[in-house]
Amino acid sequence: MLFAAERLMTSCHLSVDLVIGDVAVTQGKSYWACCVDPSSYLVKVGVGLESKLQEWFQVPQDVVSPRYDPDSGHDSGAEDATVEAPPPYAFLTIGMGKILLPHGAALTAREPNGCTVPLPPRLGVCLDYEQGRVSFYDAVSFRGLWECGVDCSGPVCPAFCFIGGGALHLQELVAAKQERKVTIGGLAK
C-alpha cells in the first residue's frame, strides 16, 4: 500500500486533504519537527513551492491517475533537450507506523522503488532554501533518513497530505540563519 501511495493518488476513492503551512520560507535554513500518529492511514510530510502545491491539489482526479499518460507518443526528441530541474515538492510517505524511503535514499534500498523504515517518534525536516535541498531526519536520534533537491524559485511551504484520514502535531518551526523564530501551532486533521 505504501508503494502505491508513493505514486501519488490511485483511482480508489479516499478522502485527500492537503494542509499547507501559513508561513512560507523565502531564504535561509529552516527546521521543524512533527509527530505523525502511527495509526494514520497515509500521510505525506514535506515541502513544496507554494504555487505548485495549490496547483497539485486542484488537479482533477483522473489527471493524476496512473492510467493518465501525458506523452503524445511522438518521439520528437524534445524531451531529451530539457535539463532535469529539481521537483517543485518533496514528500515522505508515512503509513502503518512506517516511512517509505524513495529509491536512492541514504539507506540501502532492497526494493527497486525504495524501502521502508520504522516511523520515529518525531520526524524532522530541514530546508536549505539557497541550496535548494530538503533533508528528513529522525528528530530524536538526528539520523538522516532522506535528502533531495527541491525547486526554491519562489516561496516554499511546509505541506502535509492526509490520505484516508490521519493526525499530525507540528512541534516547531525555526528559521535559523536570521536568528528569527517562527512558531506554527499544532496541526491536526
Side-chain angles (χ1 to χ4, degrees):
M1 181 167 55
L2 284 173
F3 290 113
E6 183 59 19
R7 290 185 290 276
L8 277 180
M9 313 297 168
T10 60
S11 61
C12 62
H13 300 285
L14 294 172
S15 65
V16 177
D17 297 300
L18 180 68
V19 177
I20 300 173
D22 59 355
V23 175
V25 176
T26 56
Q27 63 183 350
K29 293 180 181 178
S30 297
Y31 175 84
W32 56 94
C34 64
C35 295
V36 176
D37 184 336
S39 67
S40 297
Y41 189 64
L42 287 173
V43 177
K44 288 183 169 280
V45 173
V47 299
L49 275 174
E50 189 173 36
S51 60
K52 296 298 181 181
L53 287 169
Q54 295 291 341
E55 283 178 26
W56 177 53
F57 193 60
Q58 294 173 1
V59 172
Q61 185 73 15
D62 61 337
V63 173
V64 291
S65 168
R67 292 180 286 215
Y68 176 75
D69 183 8
D71 191 350
S72 66
H74 299 279
D75 198 9
S76 66
E79 296 89 357
D80 299 337
T82 61
V83 175
E84 191 171 319
Y89 37 78
F91 287 98
L92 281 183
T93 302
I94 301 163
M96 300 172 285
K98 295 191 181 291
I99 297 175
L100 174 65
L101 296 176
H103 182 65
L107 300 175
T108 304
R110 291 189 181 151
E111 298 290 332
N113 296 324
C115 65
T116 60
V117 295
L119 175 64
R122 289 188 326 159
L123 181 66
V125 181
C126 183
L127 172 66
D128 185 334
Y129 189 87
E130 279 75 23
Q131 295 295 316
R133 304 287 302 163
V134 62
S135 303
F136 296 88
Y137 295 92
D138 173 332
V140 174
S141 69
F142 295 104
R143 180 179 58 115
L145 297 170
W146 182 53
E147 182 179 295
C148 69
V150 67
D151 185 352
C152 290
S153 61
V156 177
C157 296
F160 311 94
C161 182
F162 298 90
I163 303 169
L168 156 130
H169 178 74
L170 187 59
Q171 296 191 328
E172 57 190 87
L173 173 62
V174 179
K177 257 193 183 171
Q178 290 78 29
E179 298 301 321
R180 185 184 109 223
K181 287 188 175 183
V182 180
T183 304
I184 295 178
L187 293 175
K189 186 67 184 162

